[in-house]
Amino acid sequence: MIPQYGSGSGSGSRSASSSSSLNSSLQDTEDDHTIATILAEEERLKNDGRLGKRLSHLDSIPHTPRVIGDIPDPNDATLDHGRLSDRMTTYGLAELQIQGDGNCQFRALADQLLQNPDYHKYVRKQVVKQLKHHKNLYEGYVPMKYRSYVKKMKKLGEWGDHVTLQAAADRFEAKICLVTSFRDSGYIEILPKDGNPSRELWLSFWSEVHYNSLYQTGEVPTRVNRKKHWLF
């Protein structure tokens, strides 16, 4: 029997898939225009760096890009989170809670760069482009085949690490200020390779567990959380 094409559920399914792809493409195009507008406005106004000026007394340690280490056991994670919370209080900082969906580093960077964590796909895309085009800067820090590492980082939900943070600092010409839960390195500055940052991005890092976006206490903006986020 000759199969009949062009009718039935198969055709409807293909049509729905095409429609979904078109809608996704249109949304990405709309997002790109919005992101371009935000970046242009930021370039015009420039971040006044109030947070950085107020915390300029903090001593940072040299940053070494590295991939993700061991995830702490629950007891260590509890101690780490308490240590980070104490530092937030000491420094007068507050966290904008970011979704814990595997994209938290890129969402936190998107919040700092673009005032919207939902633009994390754009940030990841730019970071991957930096990794791909400047292999010589990062390959030595990656203990696996570099091509496989870059391919892995393209996937949504793949956790960012300190190599992607360095790539983000380089790509966006930003000083990334990381307040951590580490016992001996509570504050880390990640500088672009050229050493001339044009902006500051402030993140908290609950070590090997989660990133949030940082603001001065009382100045955390209101964001709509579409999915779950990490609350301890």
Side-chain angles (χ1 to χ4, degrees):
M1 179 179 293
I2 300 174
Q4 300 297 310
Y5 298 108
S7 62
S9 61
S11 175
S13 177
R14 288 193 296 274
S15 177
S17 177
S18 297
S19 176
S20 176
S21 296
L22 178 60
N23 290 337
S24 178
S25 178
L26 290 173
Q27 182 62 54
D28 287 346
T29 299
E30 181 180 338
D31 286 350
D32 286 345
H33 287 318
T34 303
I35 288 167
T37 301
I38 293 170
L39 290 175
E41 181 67 9
E42 184 192 66
E43 184 66 23
R44 185 179 71 82
L45 296 175
K46 288 296 183 184
N47 193 324
D48 63 10
R50 286 181 300 159
L51 197 56
K53 291 174 183 176
R54 192 166 65 83
L55 299 175
S56 60
H57 64 284
L58 295 181
D59 293 326
S60 69
I61 65 166
H63 174 248
T64 301
R66 58 178 176 78
V67 298
I68 292 174
D70 294 332
I71 305 301
D73 66 38
N75 289 334
D76 288 342
T78 299
L79 291 174
D80 283 350
H81 190 272
R83 189 181 302 117
L84 179 59
S85 296
D86 289 344
R87 283 177 180 150
M88 297 295 101
T89 300
T90 298
Y91 300 156
L93 300 173
E95 296 171 306
L96 174 71
Q97 297 289 337
I98 298 295
Q99 292 176 21
D101 62 352
N103 300 302
C104 62
Q105 183 188 108
F106 301 99
R107 286 183 180 276
L109 289 169
D111 180 72
Q112 289 282 304
L113 276 167
L114 304 165
Q115 297 84 57
N116 191 337
D118 288 339
Y119 291 139
H120 63 95
K121 288 188 289 185
Y122 168 82
V123 174
R124 184 185 288 272
K125 182 178 178 180
Q126 295 302 311
V127 167
V128 168
K129 186 181 297 184
Q130 178 72 18
L131 291 169
K132 184 177 180 180
H133 293 169
H134 300 277
K135 176 180 177 180
N136 61 306
L137 295 179
Y138 313 107
E139 185 177 22
Y141 301 112
V142 177
M144 61 187 295
K145 288 186 177 180
Y146 189 74
R147 185 174 180 180
S148 298
Y149 172 77
V150 174
K151 184 178 180 180
K152 182 178 74 164
M153 282 302 166
K154 288 175 66 175
K155 298 177 182 177
L156 290 179
E158 187 64 43
W159 289 19
D161 53 33
H162 283 247
V163 179
T164 54
L165 280 178
Q166 183 63 61
D170 296 335
R171 183 68 180 176
F172 296 109
E173 298 181 341
K175 178 169 75 171
I176 299 177
C177 305
L178 201 63
V179 179
T180 83
S181 65
F182 293 129
R183 181 179 291 102
D184 300 322
S185 51
Y187 176 61
I188 301 172
E189 288 183 355
I190 303 167
L191 296 169
K193 294 293 186 180
D194 64 10
N196 296 307
S198 61
R199 55 174 66 86
E200 288 183 0
L201 311 178
W202 283 79
L203 309 182
S204 66
F205 180 40
W206 178 10
S207 59
E208 312 303 352
V209 177
H210 190 61
Y211 290 87
N212 281 319
S213 181
L214 284 181
Y215 293 87
Q216 293 185 67
T217 299
E219 296 188 5
V220 178
T222 301
R223 307 274 196 243
V224 176
N225 287 311
R226 296 181 180 177
K227 298 180 181 179
K228 69 176 182 179
H229 51 72
W230 287 101
L231 283 176
F232 200 80

